[in-house]
Amino acid sequence: MKALRELGNYSTLLYQALRSSTEFKTYRKSFFHEMVKIGYDSVPIIMLTGFFTGSVMTIQSAYQLESAFIPLSTIGAIVSESILIELAAVISSLVLAGKVGARIATELGTMRVSEQIDALESMGFNSVSFLVVPRVLAGIMMFPVLYIVACVFGIGGGLLAGLFTGTVPAADFLLGARMYFQPWTVIFGFVKMFVFGFIITSISSYKGYYATGGAEGVGKSTTNATVISCMVVLLADFLLASLLL
Amino acid sequence: MKFSSEIKVGITVLLAAIAAVIGFRFMSDVPIFRQTLQIETVFDRVDGLAVGSQVYIKGVKVGSVGNMQFTETDSVQVSMRLDVPNSIPRGSVALLTSLGLIEGKSIVIELGDSDERVGFGEKIEGIYVESMMEVLGSKGEELGEDVSASLGELNQFLRQLNKTLDDDTRVTLNESLESTANATRRIAGLLEGKENEISEAIDAASSMLVQLDSLATDSRPQIETLMASIQENVDDLENLRTELETTTTSLNGILQKIENGEGTIGKLVNDPAVYDNIDELTKELTKLIKGINENPGRYLRHMSLIEIF
Amino acid sequence: MIEIKNLTKSFGDLLVWEDVSFNIQDGETIAIIGKSGCGKSVLIKHINALLVPDSGSVLIDGEDIHKMDYVSKRKLRQKFGVLFQGSALFDSINTFENVAFPLRYFSNQSEEEIRNNVMEALSHVNLEDAYNKETSELSGGMRKRVGLARAIVLKPNYIMYDEPTSGLDPQTSQEINELIIDLAKSLDITSIVVTHDMHSVLKVADKVAFLDQEKLSWHGTVEEMKKSEHKALIDFITASEYQIKQRVEYN
């Protein structure tokens, strides 16, 4: 029952957001502000995540495929394919659920419990359009951008790790990476990130927007926002994979 | 310097878009900044070919396969992106082939000799080449039966050969060699007066040892089992020696007879033909073992094929 | 004029109050009093439709705010200035921007006009000097005053104070009370004050509404209240030594 009611509230909030998404004037400023917070400010952590994901993938695949019968290029293929189709999107999203999702939930939660949302409403603002819409829009626009960053740094990290540990020469890595490269994988990655961006920002906004009970309530909302975002991201990943592959 | 939100967002999106385009071209194996030559070819079928499969000219990788689609005539039109400085001559032929036994398919372009060049988007002839595996696959059963039949025979042959070498010949050979050497030694010690014969005997023995040596290097495994039995025999010899010690007197008597040229051993000592026979036998044996050793590939290849099938 | 008619509200199974009806005349200052948790703040959130009642209606100049569509509801809300309990200042922007915030979105004023209006609002609350202070630098009393400046910057017809003196020292409370009186006079504004501070009530209010036992237990003018024989009301207003003394004096 509780879950159903939450789903109902969530959908209502999304409906309000959709309906008020036309009031661009209201949220124009915070939209760009959010794009910076979600996109620009997350670039370093996504670079780092991508880079290490790639390098760890290379080193571990090289370790596991230590056999004379498997060509080294296979490692390049495994690393770049896994990064493009899965890891760049999912690992980045899980990291962003922590970074972006928690921030959104805390911000909105604090605004709710300190009556700033009421203040906005009582001034005649549409608080959903003012707070939720720019965040969700910025999310679905910037997540795919971050996907590119994660892919570039993931594959680059894999390549460099192979090069510097001496396990996979760059030429072999690239041969494998290119041999199994399919444009559809990248499109699929973009679709995933688009969906994950929506999931993380909307769930976090919802949790923050309806926070109750002071500082503790905000903390609870933030935790819930992150945990639920992560779970829904993984679920959506599964659904997308079974629907689109 | 402080940037406004719009500029930050703009920079991020622009850089990401550039990275995406470059990365995409890089991963698709298309030169990042240069235009590539796109040409088409048509095959009856394209089993094993995939988007991104590589295209070679004279063994140099020059590009990759773009998309593939059916034509109205139910053949498959394949487009390739090539990075060649000066296009390729008209009359060039695209062969769909595989470069290795288990690798995927590639396209190999055999250059024509026309002066005209193929333009952008033009079509060249395509030929589907059956790969070795496919040939093997279609003729596989037939071939498999043949191979397994001949291998059966071969196995039987090898078994027999082994048996012959192991049990009969080897033991016989051993025995004769040992008794010969033994006798030679004894005789050398005892027949001081017969220096000519002794020196002949030594020569023969040493040439025989050379033979044995080459035999040993050629067929170490066999020799090793041989040595084991020799070791046994040496032990026996030890007993034999003590017995011989006690029977020296009787031997002396016999040797008296040998000196007179009586009996088989007397003939062995006095008649070099016997050595020649042994010599020849050794040579034949060496040849046989050598033959097996040098040409095991024939049998072993069939053997490994059996495992493959 | 605001007419509150038969208003009932409950959160889930918990009844807040039922059948609350009273009128607020233009220009008067009404104090809504009652124990903590009796739903005073909830009541004023129904007046500008931040919350939706289970039944009943709130008529503002004859129009039912709860029956309006969202856009006209938001227009009407701009006739209300609200001073929230915790001031509800936006903490990412400074004092000036907080006060200028509604102007930037709801008026087509030039930067110059905005500046003038903001400084005028700040002068009403005696905070002209603090216009460039960050929100975090402000004391509790200053926050209330900035909140008040923001509430009046759109020149509302009504202003609602939610616990304006809670958490402030007696002297600052006194200043806020004087501000409430000042504003009511100088801006000719209708004020609705939610409080449990009887000192404040006696100082600023013309009328009193007393919420008790899930209903509007008593309402009338301050003079009437002083003479009232309503037991719960007497108990409430004489709960402190000081007020007992006052009551003795009045009698």
Side-chain angles (χ1 to χ4, degrees), chain C residues 146-164:
Chain C
V146 175
L148 200 48
R150 189 180 65 184
I152 60 174
V153 77
L154 280 178
K155 307 217 177 350
N157 304 353
Y158 310 92
I159 184 160
M160 301 198 282
Y161 305 86
D162 190 357
E163 309 275 9

Side-chain angles (χ1 to χ4, degrees), chain C residues 73-90:
Chain C
K73 203 188 270 181
R74 282 164 54 197
K75 278 240 165 60
L76 192 56
R77 276 178 186 164
Q78 291 179 14
K79 289 188 175 177
F80 289 87
V82 182
L83 174 61
F84 286 92
Q85 200 166 346
S87 309
L89 300 182
F90 305 123

Side-chain angles (χ1 to χ4, degrees), chain A residues 13 15-23 26-27 30 117 119-134 209, chain C residues 70-71 74-75 77-78 101 105-106:
Chain A
L13 183 73
Y15 171 70
Q16 282 179 32
L18 189 70
R19 211 180 47 177
S20 48
S21 60
T22 48
E23 300 177 32
T26 316
Y27 61 80
S30 48
I117 291 180
L120 280 174
E121 282 285 332
S122 66
M123 281 176 207
F125 279 99
N126 178 347
S127 61
V128 173
S129 134
F130 196 74
L131 298 172
V132 178
V133 175
Y209 193 81
Chain C
Y70 188 54
V71 175
R74 282 164 54 197
K75 278 240 165 60
R77 276 178 186 164
Q78 291 179 14
F101 197 83
Y105 287 95
F106 294 118

Side-chain angles (χ1 to χ4, degrees), chain A residues 50-62:
Chain A
F51 186 85
F52 281 104
T53 309
S55 30
V56 169
M57 274 288 288
T58 300
I59 292 169
Q60 292 186 349
S61 333

